[in-house]
Amino acid sequence: MHVVIMGCGRVGSTLAHSLESRGHSIAVIDQDADAFRRLGPDFAGLTVTGAGFDGDVLRQAGIERADAFAAVSSGDNSNIISARLARETFGVSRVAARIYDQRRAQVYERLGIPTVATVRWTADRMLRHLIPEGNVEIFRDPTSTVSIVEVPVHKEWVGRPVRAIEDAAGARVAYLIRFGIGTLPTTSTVVQEGDQVFMLVTDDIVATVTSVASRPPEGGH
């Protein structure tokens, strides 16, 4: 893949090295030429000095052949303008933008621009490390809306179908870990002793889901 990255701060430079190490072709855009020093002498990709929302600058970075575009500068407006330009003018199929303002992020998500709402995502992660709430979050989507948590399951759910937990809790089981191996549940999957259960939740239902799963099922003994 050829990936164009706008912004050569900590995130942009780290992303560039991660993608380059995977064998991808990289071009990095930044208005400050000194920012490219973060890439180090071993970086083999292209660096372009200029604004990422300038069509000519994007063309110099190879946007017309790009498979993906990441806007990770420090400015919300610059990020979203360049992301929309990459998608709508140059037809790049994979586009993502870093946004600090959560309210804007939600708007741009509805416009079809995947966003990473940096401040809220970081704050949520810190909160969960500082104040554990009885479940372990292992994934949160870039908009900080949907997460996957490990849910403690009461022993009386053993022998019952996974769908019974889903029906009672009002949430989906994303996967199980059984004997150390991840397993996708089916309609016939039954909870076994020792299973680790991971569920898809939103913040407004996580407490209810955890409470339901940690209690004996209705009609249990």
Side-chain angles (χ1 to χ4, degrees):
M1 293 174 57
H2 179 60
V3 182
V4 178
I5 299 170
M6 187 192 83
C8 195
R10 293 177 184 175
V11 174
S13 58
T14 300
L15 182 60
H17 282 299
S18 295
L19 288 165
E20 188 177 52
S21 70
R22 289 167 170 79
H24 301 299
S25 167
I26 310 299
V28 182
I29 300 169
D30 201 288
Q31 295 187 72
D32 180 6
D34 287 340
F36 298 130
R37 289 184 295 181
R38 291 190 177 94
L39 297 170
D42 296 329
F43 180 67
L46 177 66
T47 57
V48 180
T49 304
F53 46 83
D54 183 318
D56 290 336
V57 170
L58 288 169
R59 289 186 185 93
Q60 289 179 50
I63 195 69
E64 292 168 316
R65 61 184 176 89
D67 302 287
F69 177 83
V72 292
S73 78
S74 59
D76 281 6
N77 290 336
S78 297
N79 286 343
I80 201 62
I81 291 170
S82 61
R84 294 191 67 178
L85 189 62
R87 167 168 281 183
E88 297 167 13
T89 301
F90 294 102
V92 181
S93 58
R94 296 183 179 90
V95 174
R98 180 173 70 169
I99 302 295
Y100 286 90
D101 187 332
Q102 173 64 22
R103 292 168 296 179
R104 288 185 178 185
Q106 293 172 344
V107 171
Y108 297 135
E109 283 283 345
R110 289 195 287 271
L111 293 175
I113 302 292
T115 62
V116 178
T118 311
V119 173
R120 179 174 172 185
W121 187 89
T122 303
D124 285 344
R125 296 294 295 178
M126 289 297 293
L127 181 63
R128 280 162 177 76
H129 283 298
L130 296 172
I131 310 174
E133 296 181 346
N135 49 55
V136 179
E137 180 183 301
I138 62 163
F139 167 82
R140 180 167 286 263
D141 84 290
T143 67
S144 197
T145 304
V146 179
S147 59
I148 297 177
V149 297
E150 181 180 356
V151 178
V153 175
H154 193 277
K155 63 182 180 181
E156 289 189 17
W157 286 104
V158 172
R160 293 175 180 256
V162 165
R163 68 175 180 273
I165 298 180
E166 295 178 330
D167 291 344
R172 296 287 303 275
V173 173
Y175 64 95
L176 308 172
I177 290 184
R178 180 172 291 171
F179 305 121
I181 299 173
T183 302
L184 292 176
T186 66
T187 55
S188 61
T189 300
V190 171
V191 179
Q192 294 184 13
E193 186 173 357
D195 282 353
Q196 292 174 263
V197 179
F198 297 83
M199 302 189 74
L200 285 161
V201 297
T202 52
D203 288 346
D204 59 324
I205 67 169
V206 63
T208 299
V209 169
T210 302
S211 176
V212 169
S214 63
R215 297 194 308 260
E218 295 271 338
H221 300 289

